[in-house]
Amino acid sequence: ELLEITDRILADLPRVARTGGKAAIYIGNGHAAWEAALANTLAAGDLVLVLSTGRFAKGWGQMAETLGLRAEVMDFGTAAPVDADRLEARLRADGGAEVKAVLTVHTDTASSVRNDIAAIRSALDAAGHPALLMVDCIADLACERFEMDDWGVDVTVSGSQKGLMTPPGLSFTFHGARAAEARARLPRVSSYWDWVPRTEPEIFYQKFCGTAPTHHLYGLSEALTMILEEEGIEAVWARHRVMANAVWAALEGWGAAGPLRCNVEDRAHRSVAVTSVRTGEADAEALRGWCDREAGLTLGVGLGLDGPAAGSRTEGLFRIGHMGHLNPPMLLGTLATIEAGLKALGIPHGDGALSAATTVIAKAGS
Ligand SMILES: *Cc1c(COP(=O)(O)O)cnc(C)c1O
């Protein structure tokens, strides 16, 4: 049974990432897939260009440095996507193709910025630059449309615990032909991270470099059935867009007479998987505390985006996660609970937020 489930998962995962390339499964969290992607494509001393729109691409770049790679960060702030023109200019200036890979995230889970991966690919192409394009799609695979092959992505990494609705503990790399060539050029890759035996095994245990993570595989198998067979991936993406629109409608309603704002002003650049909320002078930790204590609702901590506090819990920021297994009662319950917290704490807010959110849901269902 396990052999069959594993084969099905390995066939289904690329359908979710929309690639004809190969999926490797690692028993580890997202950080494991970060390391696997780097270990299979790059050698010590290679330069990677890190496109930062929050915290997560930087984290990937820092890991690259611990592997002996050199990382150059291009910082695009914490509320806007990668500027493809700036990227193109940087790559044009790299006539000797010193940059071996461009690392970026689809959704930055701290800022809730979503990057336009096709535009980033176009920048590489316009500059005629051969660097690999590697995308962290951990936060929003199976939430947001992601087209690995159509967008020209060479390596995608993801994890089990977000849009894929499975407990943390599995992560994935997806790679296409150019990444496979980069792997083939390396003199050696740690046998644990090497994606070759995992994707072209001679014997079953090589798929996991050891014992299979049986329970996670059962969970993931069910999640993939739900996504691909029962709901359909296009419908999954559409559902997440409706849920995100409802969150944003509520935030507009609250923000009409108070300090709450989406961190990302332009809807076109917001992730449908998570929304980072700025609370201005209002105390985000007090609101999180109230929701947790009084209602059992856990809101996401603000992952420090501003200067020296980065990495710590910041005061004026919290996050609403709306990824994965989510339906209107769960989401509307969340929004209504937040509103109760705003009332209880005397945080100023506009009146029409919940009505606006229910209107979004109503229209989507008609
Ligand atoms: C969650 C997340 C990670 C890290 O995943 P872990 O499973 O915690 O290692 C990396 N990148 C992004 C974009 C994420 O959302």
Side-chain angles (χ1 to χ4, degrees):
E1 194 177 353
L2 194 57
L3 305 191
E4 189 222 313
I5 286 179
T6 303
D7 283 344
R8 196 158 52 78
I9 288 173
L10 285 169
D12 280 353
L13 281 170
R15 292 172 61 201
V16 174
R18 311 276 264 197
T19 179
K22 287 184 174 143
I25 306 176
Y26 295 89
I27 303 172
N29 57 19
H31 283 70
W34 273 357
E35 180 152 347
L38 299 168
N40 277 284
T41 51
L42 299 160
D46 283 351
L47 179 65
V48 297
L49 191 59
V50 176
L51 313 182
S52 178
T53 54
R55 284 180 56 78
F56 284 84
K58 270 186 195 150
W60 199 4
Q62 282 159 1
M63 176 180 268
E65 287 181 324
T66 68
L67 295 173
L69 305 168
R70 290 175 299 135
E72 175 185 325
V73 177
M74 288 185 81
D75 200 330
F76 299 91
T78 56
V82 168
D83 175 346
D85 292 338
R86 253 180 78 196
L87 172 61
E88 184 185 329
R90 172 65 187 88
L91 293 172
R92 279 187 190 280
D94 185 33
E98 208 190 334
V99 173
K100 297 297 183 234
V102 172
L103 309 187
T104 190
V105 295
H106 194 216
T107 284
D108 187 288
T109 324
S111 65
S112 69
V113 168
R114 179 178 51 80
N115 282 308
D116 182 343
I117 302 300
I120 291 173
R121 173 82 255 168
S122 298
L124 274 104
D125 292 347
H129 201 287
L132 294 172
L133 176 56
M134 318 226 294
V135 180
D136 170 341
C137 204
I138 295 174
D140 66 5
L141 191 68
C143 302
E144 182 99 58
R145 175 178 291 278
F146 180 76
E147 302 281 359
M148 177 166 169
D149 288 359
D150 283 359
W151 296 348
V153 176
D154 296 301
V155 179
T156 301
V157 301
S158 196
S160 56
Q161 77 268 29
K162 293 179 186 169
L164 292 174
M165 308 183 291
T166 305
L170 293 185
S171 59
F172 317 105
T173 58
F174 302 88
H175 69 271
R178 293 185 67 237
E181 285 160 19
R183 162 66 192 89
R185 281 195 298 272
L186 293 177
R188 77 186 74 78
V189 171
S190 132
S191 61
Y192 192 77
W193 295 121
D194 194 354
W195 64 33
V196 173
R198 288 173 191 261
T199 56
E200 295 161 35
E202 283 160 14
I203 186 165
F204 177 78
Y205 86 89
Q206 290 178 307
K207 290 177 185 173
F208 303 100
C209 197
T211 303
T214 51
H215 291 60
H216 276 79
L217 293 176
Y218 278 97
L220 181 61
S221 167
E222 177 59 25
L224 290 167
T225 298
M226 290 165 72
I227 291 165
L228 292 170
E229 316 306 331
E230 292 170 6
E231 190 172 3
I233 189 134
E234 303 263 353
V236 171
W237 294 334
R239 171 167 52 84
H240 280 86
R241 185 142 297 276
V242 171
M243 299 291 160
N245 279 332
V247 171
W248 303 337
L251 274 158
E252 244 166 54
W254 291 323
L260 266 55
R261 299 276 180 278
C262 283
N263 178 51
V264 182
E265 205 176 305
D266 186 341
R267 279 182 181 232
H269 304 316
R270 290 180 193 163
S271 171
V272 300
V274 57
T275 296
S276 300
V277 182
R278 296 268 180 191
T279 62
E281 65 274 18
D283 185 345
E285 283 305 291
L287 180 63
R288 289 187 56 252
W290 189 92
C291 289
D292 183 19
R293 210 172 47 246
E294 303 299 329
L297 171 70
T298 308
L299 295 172
V301 293
L303 289 174
L305 293 176
D306 304 321
S312 62
R313 295 173 176 208
T314 46
E315 296 247 289
L317 195 64
F318 72 91
R319 295 174 304 153
I320 304 171
H322 34 94
M323 54 183 63
H325 184 247
L326 187 68
N327 62 18
M330 293 155 81
L331 188 77
L332 293 172
T334 296
L335 297 175
T337 301
I338 291 171
E339 183 158 311
L342 295 173
K343 283 184 177 162
L345 298 172
I347 297 173
H349 59 279
D351 265 342
L354 297 178
S355 175
T358 56
T359 300
V360 170
I361 303 285
K363 284 196 176 143
S366 64

